[in-house]
């Protein structure tokens, strides 16, 4: 009985001791987890805090762009809205941009809703002049706020002082402020603060008001809970002081659920250990009793037992010992017979496979049931192994639920009762494999695209990655063991590094732009982030830095500024800068009562140069032209490139007398003409180029910039019309002609859309006077003008390309009328002639369009006659013949209109599948008095007869003309003698009278 109580007491002590040790481990682990969580939270806070600073700086940098424009305009920014509009879009979070000359707000974009701020004096306002005076006196950007906004939310104001020139004391002259109003949280969206709640954090961005010392909350995950219980703090240096970003986990620093689970596990393990201790003591006691019984029994039967029985007892004792080992082993012990069948196993092996011990015994599993990854033949090889060294391998065991675990197996063959068995132990190595995978991931992350460097607490370099070597030029062996100061460029003063180390000591992190030096001595800009690594004692043990080369980004920013105002090819001012300077010149002209001039220059035949010598030669010519133009100008004049081969020269400070100013402009224009007409040796001296100049004078600012450019452009086109290589001044009558032409083209386009066009029909008759058909003639019912003849708008339609849709409408309308005639027996025999322009005929889909018009309308193709002009033969005769033959096969007829007035070759005409020649009315008009016209008509009729073509005369107005044509065997007529062009109603009434 005493031995039993002793076993219980020892078991209880073991359980209590295990519980005490386990709870200590749980507490230490919880403290360590909290430390890691705080370090991670501080790193996340520093990352987001720096992003907040970058977002604020980026939004406030819009004031620098405004300041640059003001300084460039010498204090003037007339197109403030035009410049401010894209800035509002480019800088998210900026609500408005303002300019305040001498501290008085004069310009605001957007103005709507901000009208009351116009005229506000920032230096005289006691509530706001503190930051204003600070900005003016220090010359630095100041930030006022945050404060509530009328539009909702909170915001802040950035004020950048602008200095232009110097006063009499040599000090910079204060011009005023450029101001940006930013709104929270819009300006903070790019900082990614919403990422913190997604990571499970509560956060609060706040500052202490400099006057009241009260906390101002700028942003936070929960505005109703302004204070956090135990956060980490990250301080952000802002132009108006220090902002603080507080961060803490939403569920607290310690995972209470995890602590509870771990505590429960410790308690369970402690009880289990106490129970195992009691079992072991009881087993030991039973062993002792069993050994005593066996000894007594053995002694009593010593004379009666044989050697075989003694051996059996020994085997039994060994079996009992091994059974005890199986039940107490931590690894998964299992024994396989020569067939791979599981014969014995430990409870830990059954648990490893997800079975209860009794359940596993009933399954009678084979090796392949839980491990089919063992190489073929390995099991048989191990059974035959007599060396006794065993075998070790890593594999995977399949559990009852189908999942797999990584294991390390140690196997060894052994003899039991004269049979071969494989004794094996499996150890779960899943955690070790996971740790190895994390190490590989960490190694891969270290070799990322960004440069990384690890130093000890004394900044001695311990390790660098390949990206570091690529950026700095230093290989690992060059820098390991040396101070990180080897990279210093010398551009930063000691105060910069003091601030850097202060941030590392106070916050544990720093990031920003820094200038470093490569191995080859080159100094380059770099974005550097440094984090301090704390050891178990809470002191800094290492520093980890990540870096990226921002040389290209810096160069791109400079290039953007250059591209904004200068032409990249010629380095001349571009259109934007020219417009700014021209507006300033107009204002100066009004203020100083001086005349100025604008010269619009266009290179003659520049497209030919590009097409023959290539665009690279064209670019070289443009660069040489830019140099020559600069050589021709006076000091203070401006030459700019608008684009392509167009340049503009702006002249200022000309004579107030218009005639004298015009003479000065003409002399400079002639100098430009002479200079640009000289041979260009850069093109091997073989190329000559000229230009056309258009000039316009200006006095005062009554004319807009756009209007001046338009007038100079019109004058340039007048110079081109005058034969090129000359100068022409702007003429108001030319403006009126261009305006009238533009209005006519616009009305033409509208007329097509509004269906203002209609077809008139002029009868065609035979020798007996019977109407055989008609010619469809286009008329335009133009609003405010009445019915317009095609002679006034067809040339413009040809030039603008509107003749194509206009001709298509005519053809479709004519086919519908022809179909209506064909449906009536009284008019079924009528033919209809339609005029087709050369431009319309040469469209790729002309044949298909004619066929579609015939198909949709149902008009008979053999009653449709297309009238072509001789100008059609001047372009691609082969294509013309192919299209005519294609339509000819469908039954469409062709008439050659105005025959004898063009320059067509008879050999070409002979190739065309024509049906009719049409004598032009210019020959018919004077046949009573002009012998030449008589001879021409006789020749045309004879030619038509020899080619077996019909002939029709147009413009027949008198009976004598008709009689003469009949004598010349012309049997078809058209003209006022038989009827003027008329509407379809009048034509049908005339037809009914015949």
């Amino acid at each position: 009985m005493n031995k039993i109580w002793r076993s219980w007491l020892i078991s209880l002590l073991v359980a209590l001791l295990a519980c005490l040790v386990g709870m200590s481990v749980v507490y230490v682990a919880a403290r360590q987890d909290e430390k890691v969580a705080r370090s991670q939270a501080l790193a996340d806070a520093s990352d987001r805090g720096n992003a907040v600073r970058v977002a604020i700086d980026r939004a406030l940098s819009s004031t620098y762009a405004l300041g640059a424009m003001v300084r460039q305009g010498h204090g003037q920014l007339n197109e403030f809205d035009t410049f401010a509009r894209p800035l509002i879009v480019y800088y998210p979070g900026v609500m408005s941009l303002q300019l305040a000359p001498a501290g008085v707000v004069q310009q605001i974009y957007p103005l709507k809703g901000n009208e009351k701020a116009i005229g506000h004096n920032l230096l005289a306002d006691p509530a706001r002049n503190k930051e204003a005076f600070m900005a003016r006196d220090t010359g630095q950007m100041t930030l006022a706020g945050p404060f509530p906004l009328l539009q909702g939310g909170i915001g802040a104001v950035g004020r950048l002082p602008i200095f232009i020139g110097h006063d009499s004391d040599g000090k910079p002259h204060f011009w005023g402020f450029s101001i940006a109003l930013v709104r929270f949280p819009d300006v903070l969206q790019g900082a990614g603060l919403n990422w913190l709640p997604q990571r499970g954090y509560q956060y609060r961005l706040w500052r202490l008001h400099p006057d009241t010392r009260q906390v101002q909350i700028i942003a936070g995950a929960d505005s109703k809970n302004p204070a956090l219980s135990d956060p980490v703090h990250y301080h952000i240096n802002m132009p108006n002081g220090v902002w603080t970003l507080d961060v803490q986990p939403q569920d607290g620093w310690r995972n209470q659920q995890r602590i509870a689970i771990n505590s429960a596990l410790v308690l369970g393990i402690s009880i289990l250990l106490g129970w195992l201790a009691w079992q072991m003591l009881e087993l030991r006691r039973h062993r002792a009793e069993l050994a005593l019984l066996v000894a007594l029994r053995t002694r009593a039967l010593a004379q009666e037992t044989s050697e075989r029985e003694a051996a059996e007892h020994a085997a039994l004792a060994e079996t009992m010992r091994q059974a005890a080992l199986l039940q107490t082993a931590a690894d998964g012990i299992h024994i396989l017979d020569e067939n791979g069948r599981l014969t014995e196993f430990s409870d830990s092996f059954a648990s490893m496979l997800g079975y209860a011990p009794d359940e596993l015994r009933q399954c009678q599993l084979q090796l392949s049931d839980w491990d089919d990854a063992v190489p073929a033949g390995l099991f048989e090889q191990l059974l035959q192994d007599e060396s006794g060294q065993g075998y070790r391998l890593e594999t995977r065991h399949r559990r009852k639920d189908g999942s797999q675990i990584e294991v390390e197996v140690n196997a060894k063959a052994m003899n039991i009762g004269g049979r071969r068995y494989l004794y094996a132990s499996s150890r779960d190595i899943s955690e070790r494999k996971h740790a190895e995978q994390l190490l590989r991931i960490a190694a891969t992350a270290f070799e990322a695209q960004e440069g990384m460097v690890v130093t000890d607490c004394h900044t001695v370099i311990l390790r660098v990655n390949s990206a570091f070597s690529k950026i700095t030029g230093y290989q690992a062996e060059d820098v390991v063991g040396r101070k990180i100061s080897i990279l210093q460029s010398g551009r930063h003063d000691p105060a910069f590094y003091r601030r850097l180390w202060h941030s590392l000591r106070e916050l544990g992190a720093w990031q920003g732009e820094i200038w470093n030096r490569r191995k080859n001595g080159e100094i380059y800009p770099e974005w550097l982030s440094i984090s301090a690594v704390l050891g178990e004692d809470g002191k800094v043990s290492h520093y980890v830095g990540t870096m990226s080369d921002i040389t290209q980004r810096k160069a791109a920013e400079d290039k953007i500024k250059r591209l904004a105002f200068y032409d990249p090819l010629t380095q001349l001012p571009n259109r934007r800068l020219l417009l700014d300077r021209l507006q300033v010149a107009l204002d100066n002209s009004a203020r100083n009562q001086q005349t100025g001039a604008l010269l619009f220059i266009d290179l003659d035949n520049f497209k030919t140069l590009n097409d023959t010598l290539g665009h690279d030669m064209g670019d070289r010519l443009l660069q040489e032209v830019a140099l020559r133009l600069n050589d021709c100008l006076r000091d203070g004049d401006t030459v700019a490139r608008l684009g392509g081969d167009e340049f503009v020269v702006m002249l200022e400070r000309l004579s107030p007398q218009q005639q004298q100013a015009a003479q000065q402009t003409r002399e400079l224009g002639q100098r430009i003409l002479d200079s640009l007409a000289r041979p260009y040796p850069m093109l091997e001296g073989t190329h000559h180029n000229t230009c056309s100049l258009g000039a316009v004078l200006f006095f005062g600012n009554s004319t807009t910039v756009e209007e001046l450019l338009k007038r100079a452009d019109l004058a340039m086109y007048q110079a081109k019309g005058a034969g090129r290589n000359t100068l022409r001044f702007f003429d108001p009558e030319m403006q009126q002609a261009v305006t009238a032409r533009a209005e006519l083209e616009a009305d033409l386009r509208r007329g097509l859309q509004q269906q203002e066009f209609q077809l008139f029909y002029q009868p065609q008759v035979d020798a007996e006077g019977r109407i055989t058909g008609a010619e469809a003639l286009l008329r335009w019912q133009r609003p405010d003008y009445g019915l317009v003849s095609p002679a006034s708008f067809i040339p413009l339609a040809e030039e603008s390309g509107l003749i194509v849709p206009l001709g298509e409408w005519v053809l479709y309308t004519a086919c519908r009328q022809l179909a209506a005639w064909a449906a009536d027996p009284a008019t079924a025999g009528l033919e209809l002639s339609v005029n087709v322009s050369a431009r319309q005929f040469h469209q790729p889909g002309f044949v298909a369009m004619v066929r579609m018009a015939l198909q949709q309308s149902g008009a008979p193709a053999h009653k449709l006659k297309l009238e072509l002009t001789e100008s059609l033969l001047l372009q691609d005769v082969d294509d013309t013949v192919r299209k005519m033959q294609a339509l000819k096969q469908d039954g469409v007829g062709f008439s050659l209109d105005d025959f004898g007035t063009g320059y067509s070759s008879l050999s070409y005409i002979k190739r065309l599948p024509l049906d009719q020649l049409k004598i032009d009315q210019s020959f018919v008009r004077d046949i009573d008095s002009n012998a030449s016209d008589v001879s021409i008509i006789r020749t045309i009729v004879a030619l038509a007869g020899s080619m077996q073509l019909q002939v029709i005369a147009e413009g027949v107005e008198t009976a004598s003309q008709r009689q003469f044509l009949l004598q010349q065997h012309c049997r078809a007529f058209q003209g006022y003698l038989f009827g003027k062009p008329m509407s379809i109603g009048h034509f049908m009434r005339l037809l009914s009278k015949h």
Side-chain angles (χ1 to χ4, degrees), residues 436-449:
E436 292 174 352
Q437 183 181 15
L438 293 179
L439 288 175
R440 287 193 298 271
I441 294 174
T444 302
F446 189 75
E447 293 298 333
Q449 296 297 320

Side-chain angles (χ1 to χ4, degrees), residues 528-562:
L528 177 63
S529 298
I530 307 174
S531 298
V533 180
L534 303 180
E536 294 182 355
D537 56 358
K539 296 181 180 180
V540 175
S541 61
H542 297 84
Y543 293 102
V544 177
T546 60
M547 61 186 65
S548 58
D549 190 344
I550 59 173
T551 303
Q552 294 183 352
R553 192 188 79 186
K554 285 285 189 182
E557 292 174 356
D558 296 338
K559 185 176 181 181
I560 290 172
K561 294 178 182 177
R562 184 71 183 173

Side-chain angles (χ1 to χ4, degrees), residues 472-493:
T472 65
Y474 287 101
Q475 300 299 319
E477 57 269 17
D478 297 332
V479 294
V480 171
R482 303 177 67 178
K483 287 271 192 175
I484 194 67
S485 58
I486 189 176
L487 300 178
Q488 289 184 2
S489 64
R491 282 200 177 187
H492 302 289
D493 56 12

Side-chain angles (χ1 to χ4, degrees), residues 662-732:
Q663 182 60 31
Q664 292 173 331
T665 303
R666 187 180 301 277
E667 291 175 356
L668 182 61
Q670 189 60 47
R671 192 186 315 160
I672 292 174
L673 288 171
D674 296 340
S675 176
L676 297 189
R678 297 199 311 269
Y680 290 84
M682 38 77 70
L683 294 174
E684 302 177 358
T686 60
H687 184 75
H688 292 75
N689 204 85
T690 61
C691 67
S692 300
L693 272 69
V696 61
L697 300 179
F698 60 86
F699 187 85
N701 54 6
S702 59
T703 306
T704 64
V705 170
E706 292 77 8
E707 183 62 27
L708 276 179
L709 284 173
K710 185 189 300 182
R711 293 178 178 181
D713 190 20
L714 289 174
M716 183 273 294
Y717 277 106
Q718 189 180 25
K720 282 192 177 291
R724 307 177 188 269
N725 194 24
T726 187
L727 169 68
R728 287 290 184 272
F729 280 85
F730 171 74
D731 183 4

Side-chain angles (χ1 to χ4, degrees), residues 338 397 474 535 791 845 952:
E338 61 269 18
H397 284 355
Y474 287 101
I952 184 173

Side-chain angles (χ1 to χ4, degrees), residues 848-869:
M849 187 268 291
V850 174
R851 289 173 173 170
M852 182 62 69
L854 291 170
Q855 180 182 356
Q856 290 184 357
S857 64
H862 65 282
K863 293 297 182 181
L864 176 65
K865 186 178 295 180
L866 302 182
E867 293 193 4
L868 312 177
T869 61

Side-chain angles (χ1 to χ4, degrees), residues 192-310:
L193 288 178
N194 291 335
W195 176 80
L196 291 173
Q198 296 174 5
R199 293 270 294 179
Y201 292 117
Q202 291 179 307
Y203 72 91
R204 183 184 68 163
L205 181 62
W206 59 278
R207 74 154 191 167
L208 288 177
H209 193 282
D211 297 329
T212 64
R213 306 307 294 173
Q214 293 182 349
V215 173
Q216 285 185 294
I217 297 178
I218 302 168
D222 186 1
S223 58
K224 297 181 181 179
N225 184 18
L228 303 181
S229 60
D230 185 20
V232 295
H233 309 285
Y234 181 77
H235 302 290
I236 308 170
N237 293 321
M238 289 293 180
N240 64 339
V242 177
W243 292 7
T244 302
L245 179 61
D246 291 347
V247 174
Q248 78 175 34
Q250 297 175 354
D251 299 329
W253 294 108
R254 296 185 182 181
N255 191 331
Q256 300 297 332
Q257 182 179 4
R258 183 176 178 182
I259 292 176
I261 293 174
N262 290 341
S263 300
L265 288 175
V266 168
L267 183 61
I269 293 173
S270 300
I271 295 173
L272 179 62
L273 288 176
W275 180 78
L276 290 175
W278 182 80
Q279 289 289 336
M280 291 178 65
L281 290 173
E282 285 297 298
L283 180 62
R284 182 178 178 183
R285 182 173 63 82
H286 285 302
R287 281 181 179 176
E289 293 176 353
L290 182 61
L292 179 60
L293 291 175
V294 169
L296 293 175
R297 184 62 177 169
T298 301
R299 191 179 301 112
L301 300 176
Q303 300 301 322
E304 300 177 3
T305 58
S306 62
E307 293 182 0
R308 180 180 60 81
E309 292 173 340

